[in-house]
Amino acid sequence: MPDKFKFAFMPSASCGGCEIAIVDIDEVILKVAELADIVYWPTALDFKDHHLEALPDGSITVGFFNGAVRNDHDVHHAKLLRQKSAFVVAFGACAQMGGIPSLGNFWTTEELAHRMYDTVPSVNNPEGTRPQLKYDAPEGELTLPRAMDRAYALDQVIDVDYYLPGCPPQVKWIVAAVEAVASGELPPKGTVIAGTKAVCDECPRERSEEKQVTEFKRIHLVENDPEKCLLEQGIMCCGPATRDGCEAACVTAGQACRGCFGPTDNVNDMGAKLASAIASITVADAQEEADRILGHLDDPAGYFYRFGLAKSMLGVQRGEFKPEAE
Amino acid sequence: MAEAFEPKIVGLLCTWCAYTGADLAGTSRIKYPPNVRPIRIMCSGRVDPQFVLDAFAHGADGVLVGG
Amino acid sequence: MLKKILGQMGLNPGRLRLEWLSASEAQRYAATVAEFTDEIRALGPIPAGVEDAAVAKEEVHAG
């Protein structure tokens, strides 16, 4: 047995849920501790950038990166982790495909800042003050990272070896990843460590295979039949395009699938695939009828790309057209 | 910059309907703009929305689905 | 539905058009193509998405 493995956990534009998922593996963490030294984990222990910079290049066995890449400091972190790690794992939906932070890509950074510092109802900022990237404090110059034009998925910035999907990733797949490292039986590069089919394949609800939706409803406004397919009950569910491996956790609990595992291997674009799935279950003979039914879905792009706007085919706001609903 | 903008349009055309129609337009020597790049598909029902987004992602300025 | 998504992504939904044409309608095909080409020409090219300089450099390297 060689020396102990070395793991690093790098947080970025994320909510912290991924870090909690790491702790959530319970007693397995003891096995991880037996197997590996954690050489960098700023969320849990007092690590600074210079600790990571001091390590030899490629000395970390696996670098886990969670969160989207939103500012230039995140880019620095991503590149640094790549340099120091033999393998880099995009940990969680944000690192894998942009996640929730990339929903901001519907707007420009200026529009987001305007919303955040001027027009949010709880903000009182009559002078239009904005955070400054540099500030001369009596103690010395203080700096803030610069927000980039949009949020990126990790593999749009650095080379990524594996992906652990989910919001947050599930314990069993984290354990599977750690075991793969321990046994040395690594899957091919680029593998998404989860299932290979769609959530519908794991879903216990029954499907009738018939077109039957004449109206879409929001899930909290109706009582759904726990035995039947949510989509067929007119409740938007991302199952048909979403990678399985979660044991249909949300759907089993009475909630619709939100697509956090990202698209399956056969799906290139979640939004397009879901638009297609919806079309195949909707009963409409005329365009007007279809428009009426689909009109119930207020924010299809936001729903379909909830976790993956940065990796969608169109990818980014083009600024040519503004929907009226703004 | 002096060059005028010529749109690139991807035409997803059903082999039985629009594609044959386009063929006929050619054999009848009807003049029409050369901007549409036809892609023959076996049926317009085969068109996946992903094709459309893919076309846009690869730089198409417009997409015409002909069934 | 797809048009709505295009709209939300800041693309003009007018860039997508569905037309039912039969095999004998060569005239109509030509007319549709001419009309659609003019419409798209009026819209102009699709604006390129923004790419941050800090990231763009790395993509060349990774590619």
Side-chain angles (χ1 to χ4, degrees):
Chain A
M1 173 114 181
D3 292 347
K4 275 173 113 177
F5 296 119
K6 290 187 172 65
F7 287 173
F9 299 99
M10 175 71 85
S12 175
S14 68
C15 63
C18 285
E19 311 269 341
I20 292 170
I22 296 165
V23 184
D24 209 24
I25 61 179
D26 290 338
E27 69 277 2
V28 180
I29 202 150
L30 296 175
K31 210 166 101 190
V32 172
E34 227 172 75
L35 207 69
D37 285 328
I38 294 171
V39 293
Y40 184 79
W41 191 6
T43 312
L45 299 156
D46 187 18
F47 284 110
K48 300 278 186 276
D49 278 11
H50 63 82
H51 291 117
L52 190 54
E53 278 157 12
L55 296 170
D57 287 358
S59 66
I60 299 170
T61 322
V62 188
F64 296 89
F65 190 99
N66 74 74
V69 182
R70 192 66 182 91
N71 61 40
D72 53 5
H73 194 226
D74 297 339
V75 175
H76 171 71
H77 271 162
K79 290 179 180 173
L80 189 60
L81 190 71
R82 178 70 268 183
Q83 188 189 339
K84 303 294 176 190
S85 310
F87 295 101
V88 169
V89 174
F91 191 90
C94 296
Q96 184 199 2
M97 46 190 182
I100 300 282
S102 75
L103 281 177
N105 293 359
F106 281 125
W107 297 274
T108 64
T109 303
E110 290 70 42
E111 285 169 327
L112 291 175
H114 174 60
R115 172 78 183 144
M116 221 162 119
Y117 298 113
D118 299 323
T119 64
V120 168
S122 59
V123 164
N124 180 14
N125 183 13
E127 284 161 29
T129 309
R130 291 281 197 283
Q132 299 301 305
L133 297 184
K134 277 185 189 168
Y135 177 68
D136 286 316
E139 296 80 11
E141 188 187 80
L142 299 173
T143 58
L144 276 178
R146 177 184 62 89
M148 298 191 296
D149 292 334
R150 58 171 165 131
Y152 294 85
L154 185 60
D155 65 4
Q156 291 169 324
V157 180
I158 60 164
D159 197 27
V160 171
D161 296 293
Y162 301 110
Y163 303 86
L164 261 171
C167 182
Q170 282 190 325
V171 171
K172 74 169 182 181
W173 296 110
I174 302 174
V175 173
V178 171
E179 278 172 355
V181 174
S183 66
E185 287 168 19
L186 293 165
K189 186 177 164 169
T191 299
V192 179
I193 303 171
T196 53
K197 291 181 179 163
V199 170
C200 291
D201 285 281
E202 284 190 326
C203 180
R205 288 168 182 259
E206 251 176 60
R207 247 188 321 178
S208 68
E209 311 276 348
E210 272 173 33
K211 283 192 172 202
Q212 48 180 275
V213 175
T214 53
E215 193 182 2
F216 277 99
K217 292 157 283 199
R218 301 189 69 180
I219 190 159
H220 59 281
L221 298 178
V222 286
E223 247 184 79
N224 71 71
D225 180 341
E227 306 289 319
K228 281 196 189 147
C229 172
L230 285 167
L231 265 179
E232 289 183 350
Q233 297 180 58
I235 294 162
M236 189 53 224
C237 175
C238 295
T242 305
R243 185 182 292 276
D244 69 352
C246 60
E247 289 160 18
C250 294
V251 195
T252 313
Q255 179 61 258
C257 172
R258 305 179 307 151
C260 74
F261 267 46
T264 68
D265 290 334
N266 298 326
V267 173
N268 295 323
D269 188 274
M270 295 250 330
K273 200 71 207 170
L274 286 167
S276 177
I278 289 175
S280 69
I281 55 153
T282 307
V283 188
D285 294 326
Q287 184 64 44
E288 294 72 39
E289 178 67 358
D291 287 345
R292 183 191 67 78
I293 297 171
L294 300 177
H296 298 145
L297 294 168
D298 285 334
D299 177 17
Y303 203 113
F304 300 166
Y305 298 119
R306 182 179 294 176
F307 294 96
L309 190 60
K311 291 286 275 179
S312 68
M313 274 185 184
L314 295 175
V316 60
Q317 178 59 250
R318 308 300 175 116
E320 173 187 59
F321 179 83
K322 283 263 180 234
E324 281 170 25
E326 270 299 298
Chain B
M1 260 339 265
E3 230 172 276
F5 166 63
E6 275 304 322
K8 281 196 288 284
I9 299 171
V10 171
L12 299 167
L13 308 179
C14 162
T15 186
W16 310 109
C17 313
Y19 191 82
T20 316
D23 216 16
L24 185 63
T27 48
S28 330
R29 303 191 170 207
I30 299 170
K31 272 194 183 165
Y32 60 91
N35 302 60
V36 170
R37 275 70 160 172
I39 296 175
R40 186 168 69 117
I41 47 180
M42 291 317 284
C43 172
S44 52
R46 174 67 182 89
V47 176
D48 190 301
Q50 292 184 104
F51 300 172
V52 177
L53 294 193
D54 206 24
F56 282 123
H58 282 89
D61 298 303
V63 176
L64 173 70
V65 182
Chain C
M1 174 55 52
L2 196 58
K3 285 189 175 205
K4 202 163 165 182
I5 294 179
L6 290 180
Q8 286 192 293
M9 295 302 290
L11 278 180
N12 194 316
R15 291 185 183 276
L16 172 62
R17 176 155 170 182
L18 172 65
E19 196 72 47
W20 304 113
L21 296 158
S22 93
S24 58
E25 293 177 310
Q27 269 313 341
R28 232 183 99 215
Y29 175 76
T32 303
V33 169
E35 190 186 302
F36 191 50
T37 305
D38 285 344
E39 281 171 24
I40 301 292
R41 184 173 286 131
L43 287 175
I46 291 180
V50 287
E51 189 77 60
D52 201 275
V55 172
K57 247 184 288 159
E58 187 61 26
E59 276 190 327
V60 177
H61 169 74

